[in-house]
């Protein structure tokens, strides 16, 4: 039977109730090995097997000893008691403080199944009981999602028309990748991925004669076998690099005035900035070279090559996860406008190739079944990466996207389907802020750091323990995800958990609509069949789909070209911007009056970078990116992830000269530190990273030397004890994780054991009754 995950579709064999084999989907040309982590993890020691309550909370009630979260034992309780406690807390907070004091942003990738998707379930439940404080944006794309509607259109609308690989193979001559196109990222996709096509597609481009330029501190994130030219710029300086390209194009008359006149708004104020007429500083290739540490001749020569060839510019998602992260996206679009190739097959802009596996697929933007979440009565969401700000500053004021906003006073957090102690930055700060709410409830499958830091933990099933439907936009297969094994321990589906809570709170009918999980699956599939017709798709009936195991959807008649329709007829296909055009200068953004984001793309020094005085104390720029062996922190306890550890710790990659200067060799364990925190990591040495750069993937489960203490050494290699928790700008308030300076030293002394994958201690409940 098939199951769908964010890193692929797998055929699961079960014998005598046990998973005996995980095989890759027969239609997948380049399957990911991450699926091999599933079988052991699902039934392993990290599973949450029964409801549990933190000891002090059970004895003392809401707000009891919050500083002990993550440090003290749990008590096993029955489902009825756990649900009664959780429902009682939700009712108390609603009654005393209102729904604006409940935060259920519940961020994370959760399940690839469309019905049992935990965030959809918790948000539907919260809306049924009166609403909650939500989040907007994502950690991956917080800055870009806020910026793009002002200057082009909604990010998802743009991604739905991403130029297909097959168009690039036929028409592209030069692919310039800012932030690279990492094969490890193309393993994964939110909502699932049935066919991994990116790496074979890149080989096809190389075979067709496409030339590649990798503008990135990391060489190996674009396969060297493709004949890639590497330009290892300083991290966080891509905007300056692009401005140097723009100056060369304009100064030498290699830009396209006709395209700029017909399709763009606001070229003139941008031109004045680039040429130095606005501020007295021409953004020449020599100016850019000083910032980026790439020779001026190299920058100018690349600009000329881009103008002389059919050029696709790919701007990685990672670039907008730095301070002023909206600028490289805006500048990348402006650069593509200067070249005049937007909307042509094989040319223009991509946002981006490589951050997830589905980009470039020749498939229709049909998402399949969708669980309706209802309407949220609370209209005050926060930017997704501002959780610690919100918890620390109830009533505090902040700017976001042209609005003056106020942080709510959060008394209860409900989390399902994610791990905030993976996603968020500056974990020591988050731990301090995490002590503010009176109650934290999680639905969780594994004893990850988020579960250990909760008060009430409700065990949830995995995708192998329930029926579901796997489907996502631009994937050509819809998967019948049939239950493979019985629920482990006392685990229940999120739907069953929320149905029971809704019943206790008088909202069961609104939440369930009198449907069982099985009835919901048929209902959502039948709705999807109707919507599919708008995409010229015809889906079989549910019974036929379920019996076959999957349905394959044909590709579109013509492979997509981003903004191709707009280029063909800009009058009939006006963009949803104030001018109806691509806005190189945005009067709307300019009207906000922000000092850190003016009305056109511009260079701003990051808060931390290798050109700052702070680099004398912390001379390494830390890049914390998606790992190759798991999805973020999902299945870090799995066999594939653990096999890649060095002495049980996450691997830190250093340039040979940086390692030699510190007396470090491959296999050593080092202390990585700055003013925010410190962690241990094993060491790999590679000349595929720029000198002055250290690479530590995200997702190692947070494992403090002294649980519950702020500032203690993290033993396992979680980079978010080091990363900067700062909004990208007043406009976008995104995540700035990739703006981080550190130092590295050889670890001395006895090496502490990694305990990240140990379940918490359990104790017998006290006789004390609250």
């Amino acid at each position: 039977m098939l199951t769908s995950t964010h890193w692929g579709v797998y055929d699961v064999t079960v014998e005598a109730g046990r998973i005996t084999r995980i095989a890759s989907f027969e239609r997948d040309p380049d399957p990911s090995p991450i699926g091999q982590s599933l079988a052991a993890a699902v039934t392993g020691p990290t599973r949450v097997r029964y409801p549990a309550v933190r000891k002090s909370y059970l004895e003392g009630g809401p707000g009891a000893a919050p500083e002990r979260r993550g440090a003290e034992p749990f008590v096993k309780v029955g489902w009825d008691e756990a649900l009664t406690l959780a429902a009682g807390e939700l009712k108390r907070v609603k009654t005393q403080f209102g729904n604006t004091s409940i935060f259920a942003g519940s961020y994370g990738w959760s399940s690839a199944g469309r019905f049992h998707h935990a965030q959809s379930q918790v948000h539907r439940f919260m809306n049924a009981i009166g609403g909650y404080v939500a989040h907007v944006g994502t950690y991956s794309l917080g800055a870009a999602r806020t910026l793009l509607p002002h200057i082009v259109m909604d990010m998802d609308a743009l991604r739905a028309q991403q130029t297909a690989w097959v168009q690039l193979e036929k028409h592209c001559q030069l692919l310039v990748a800012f932030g690279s196109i990492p094969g490890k990222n193309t393993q994964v996709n939110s909502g699932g991925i049935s066919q991994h096509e990116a790496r074979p597609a890149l080989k096809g481009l190389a075979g067709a004669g496409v030339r590649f330029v990798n503008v990135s501190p990391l060489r190996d994130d674009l396969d060297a076998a493709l004949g890639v030219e590497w330009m290892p710029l300083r991290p966080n300086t891509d905007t300056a690099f692009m401005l140097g390209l723009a100056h060369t194009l304009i100064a030498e008359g290699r830009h396209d005035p006709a395209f700029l006149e017909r399709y763009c708004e606001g070229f003139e104020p941008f031109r004045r900035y680039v040429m130095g007429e606005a501020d007295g500083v021409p953004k020449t290739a020599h100016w850019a070279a000083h910032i980026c540490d790439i020779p001026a001749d190299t920058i100018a020569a690349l600009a000329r090559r881009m103008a002389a060839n059919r050029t696709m510019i790919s701007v990685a998602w990672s670039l907008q996860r730095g301070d002023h992260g909206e600028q490289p996206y805006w500048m990348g679009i402006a650069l593509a406008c200067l070249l005049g190739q937007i909307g042509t097959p094989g040319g223009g802009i991509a946002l981006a190739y490589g951050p997830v596996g589905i980009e470039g697929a020749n498939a229709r933007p049909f998402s399949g079944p969708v669980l309706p979440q209802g309407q949220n009565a609370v209209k005050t969401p926060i930017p997704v990466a501002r959780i610690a700000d919100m918890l620390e500053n109830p009533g505090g004021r902040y700017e976001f996207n042209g609005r003056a906003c106020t942080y709510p006073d959060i008394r209860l957090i409900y989390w399902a389907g994610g791990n905030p102690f993976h996603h968020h930055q500056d974990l020591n700060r988050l731990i301090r802020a995490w002590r503010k709410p009176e109650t934290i409830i999680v639905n969780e499958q594994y004893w990850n750091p988020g579960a250990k830091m909760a008060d009430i933990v409700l065990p949830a099933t995995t995708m192998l323990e329930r029926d579901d439907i796997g489907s996502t936009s631009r994937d050509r297969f819809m998967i019948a995800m049939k239950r493979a094994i019985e629920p482990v321990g006392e685990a229940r589906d999120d739907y069953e958990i929320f149905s029971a809570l809704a019943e206790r709170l008088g909202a069961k009918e609104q939440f369930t609509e009198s449907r069982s999980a099985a009835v919901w699956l048929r209902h959502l599939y039948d709705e999807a069949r109707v919507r599919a017709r708008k995409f010229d798709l015809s889906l079989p009936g549910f019974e036929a789909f379920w019996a076959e195991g999957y349905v394959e959807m044909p590709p579109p008649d013509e492979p997509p070209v981003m903004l191709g329709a707009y280029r063909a007829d800009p009058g009939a296909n006006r963009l949803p911007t104030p001018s109806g055009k691509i806005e190189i200068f945005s009067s709307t953004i300019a009207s906000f009056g922000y000092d850190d984001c003016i009305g056109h793309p511009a260079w701003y020094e990051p808060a931390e970078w290798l050109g700052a005085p702070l680099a004398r104390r912390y001379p390494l720029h830390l890049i914390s990116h998606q790992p190759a062996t798991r999805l973020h922190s999902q299945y870090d306890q799995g066999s594939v992830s653990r096999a890649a550890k060095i002495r049980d710790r996450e691997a830190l990659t250093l340039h040979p000269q940086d390692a030699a200067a510190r007396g470090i060799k491959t296999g050593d364990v080092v202390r990585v530190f700055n003013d925010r925190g410190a962690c241990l990591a094993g060491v790999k040495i590679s000349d595929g990273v720029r000198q002055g750069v250290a690479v530590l993937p995200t997702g190692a489960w947070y494992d403090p030397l002294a649980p519950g203490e702020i500032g203690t050494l993290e033993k396992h290699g979680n980079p978010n004890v080091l990363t900067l928790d700062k909004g990208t700008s007043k406009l976008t308030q995104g995540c700035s994780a990739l703006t981080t300076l550190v130092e590295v030293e050889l670890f001395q002394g006895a090496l502490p054991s990694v305990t990240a994958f140990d379940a918490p201690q359990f104790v017998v409940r006290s006789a004390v009754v609250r």
Side-chain angles (χ1 to χ4, degrees), residues 338-527:
L338 291 178
L339 294 172
Q341 298 185 27
I342 287 177
T344 63
I349 187 77
L351 303 172
Y353 294 110
V356 291
I358 213 71
E359 305 302 334
N362 183 24
R364 302 169 197 261
F366 170 64
S367 61
V370 178
L371 178 67
Q373 298 180 17
Q375 295 297 314
N376 190 351
V378 176
K379 306 300 183 184
T380 55
I382 65 162
V384 66
R386 303 274 56 82
I387 295 174
D389 287 357
M390 172 187 70
L391 296 178
E392 287 187 337
N393 301 292
R397 305 277 288 177
Y398 67 101
E399 294 287 336
F400 173 53
N401 199 17
R403 301 189 304 275
C405 306
T406 302
Y407 287 121
D409 182 7
I410 298 300
R411 303 301 182 105
L412 183 150
I413 294 175
Y414 203 125
W415 209 276
N419 174 12
F421 289 86
H422 154 67
H423 286 294
H424 203 68
Q425 286 64 63
D426 194 353
L427 289 183
N428 286 307
R429 182 188 179 209
L430 180 62
I431 291 167
R432 185 181 296 108
W434 205 248
R435 295 174 177 177
K436 297 294 182 74
E438 296 155 0
T439 298
I440 297 174
I441 307 169
V442 303
N443 296 4
E444 185 49 69
Q445 301 160 340
Y446 301 106
W447 282 110
N448 64 26
K452 291 177 181 178
M453 292 291 289
D455 299 318
I456 300 172
V457 181
L458 306 177
T461 54
T462 69
M463 80 290 282
L464 295 176
E465 300 157 66
R466 59 204 184 202
D467 291 337
D468 211 337
I469 298 172
S471 179
T472 193
S473 178
R474 294 180 296 152
D475 190 275
R476 288 181 53 199
F477 289 81
M478 186 183 297
I479 306 299
M481 299 170 61
K482 300 174 185 178
R483 175 189 287 192
I485 59 174
E486 292 300 309
V488 172
E490 298 178 15
R492 296 183 180 181
D493 298 343
D494 290 299
Y495 182 66
E496 185 178 358
I497 294 170
F498 288 126
S499 296
L501 289 172
E503 183 174 23
R504 284 167 168 79
L505 294 168
K508 184 176 181 180
E509 176 58 28
Q510 187 171 349
F511 176 71
T512 67
E513 299 182 23
S514 299
R515 294 188 179 102
S516 66
V519 173
W520 266 112
L521 284 183
R522 291 173 180 266
H523 173 72
L524 296 178
Y525 182 84
D526 288 342
E527 283 191 334

Side-chain angles (χ1 to χ4, degrees), residues 245-277:
L245 294 172
H247 187 280
T248 301
L249 293 173
I250 296 170
E252 298 182 1
R254 298 174 187 271
H255 62 303
D256 188 335
F259 183 91
L260 293 164
E261 174 66 25
R262 187 178 189 199
Y263 298 99
C264 304
E265 176 73 11
F267 170 63
E268 180 55 25
F270 174 67
R271 185 199 67 79
R272 294 183 67 249
Y273 172 78
V274 172
M275 304 311 290
E277 297 168 14

Side-chain angles (χ1 to χ4, degrees), residues 126-194:
M126 286 294 169
N127 288 334
I129 66 169
Y132 64 103
V133 174
H135 73 262
V136 292
T138 68
Y139 283 86
S140 296
L141 284 165
R145 283 190 182 279
T146 304
L147 169 73
L148 288 173
H150 289 295
I151 64 171
V152 188
M153 64 177 65
D154 174 78
M155 180 72 175
D156 289 335
L158 270 177
R159 291 180 63 202
Q161 51 182 293
Q162 186 94 289
T163 302
W165 291 118
V166 291
Q167 295 281 21
L168 267 64
E169 186 170 336
K170 291 180 182 177
H171 303 286
C172 184
Q173 295 171 306
L174 178 66
L175 196 161
V176 180
F178 290 91
S180 205
I181 303 176
K184 62 184 177 52
N185 289 47
T186 64
Q187 295 180 98
V188 304
N189 185 66
S190 179
I193 179 169
S194 56

